[in-house]
Amino acid sequence: VSVFTACVVVLAIAPVLQTLETRFAPLAEQRALHFRVRTRTGVYLRTDPALLVEMLMNLLSNAFRYTERGGVLLGTRLRGDRLVIQVWDTGPGIAPGDMAAIFEEFVQLGGSARDRRHGLGLGLAIVRRLGKALECPVSVRSRPGKGTVFDVSIPISREPALRPAGETEGDTGDDTLRGMLVLVVDDELDILVAMEAILAAWGCYVLVARSVAEARQHLQEALRFPDVLITDHRLANAETSEDVVAMVERSVPVPVPVILVSGEVGPRIEAQVRERGWPLLSKPVNPQRLRALLIEVLAAHPPQG
């Protein structure tokens, strides 16, 4: 079942690559690594820009995480009616026996510390799942001791992009949500992965939890209060959104606005959200509607934490 409805548009690839170069160049300089981006002009893709940017950011983050010397290359190759975006690194490589495991949840090779931008450390799991959702296959090749290359294959459009040059859904120039801390509670891992991906693409920090207990633990460990709570209505073990909200209200001394997400919208839930004043999103979630709701909620409830 789709978690998000992808917003597929035609876009030029060059601005996307330039955006990624800008974002990762400071990290390369800090790590004393070479970072090259081979921009390709005049090529248009048909895909969801926000989710594509998130896929590539995860691959680049992964490449820099495991590369201690040498560098990272972001490049492209034309193959028939598709463009293959490649992320090369000169890291330690991946042993043949580990290749099947690298896209699994919670797997981090070599004992590397987690990237705190992703609460569950799901970088490559996000890449794999978004690739499947967008029908953009992801493959990997590696030579232990030499490095690794990830390929993302994306359909080419013969039509020019309709968006203004340089504008993508994942980099609109609107920093309204950047830096916001969002707590997401859902018992389905697919939904947490997708939510974390789309929110991170908008510049949010994300805490994800599959139960009331996990959410409570995140709140106890967090250095600030969440700005927004997004919770599914019905969780595992007979827990509901009411349990999540009650726990947050006990744990956080300031009001935290709530957005309810549910796959079982009906009169009872609609009556509940009207009574509590919660915005309601039905699954599959439309990213543009989610973004609009977050902006609306945050405007009404400025961050206090």
Side-chain angles (χ1 to χ4, degrees), residues 203-247:
C204 299
Y205 297 103
V206 190
L207 301 174
V208 292
R210 290 168 290 179
S211 66
V212 173
E214 278 191 14
R216 182 188 300 113
Q217 181 177 352
H218 282 316
L219 291 178
Q220 292 171 348
E221 296 174 350
L223 300 178
R224 50 183 280 209
F225 304 135
D227 299 310
V228 178
L229 165 65
I230 300 175
T231 180
D232 190 19
H233 173 61
R234 195 172 302 281
L235 305 171
N237 300 317
E239 293 181 334
T240 70
S241 57
E242 292 283 359
D243 299 314
V244 177
V245 172
M247 181 277 297

Side-chain angles (χ1 to χ4, degrees), residues 90-129:
T90 57
I94 303 167
D98 291 330
M99 294 289 279
I102 61 171
F103 290 104
E104 299 300 322
E105 292 82 13
F106 315 112
V107 171
Q108 292 188 328
L109 304 179
S112 176
R114 280 184 179 166
D115 179 353
R116 297 303 299 171
R117 192 173 71 87
H118 291 289
L120 287 178
L122 293 170
L124 292 181
I126 288 174
V127 169
R128 180 185 64 174
R129 294 178 186 225

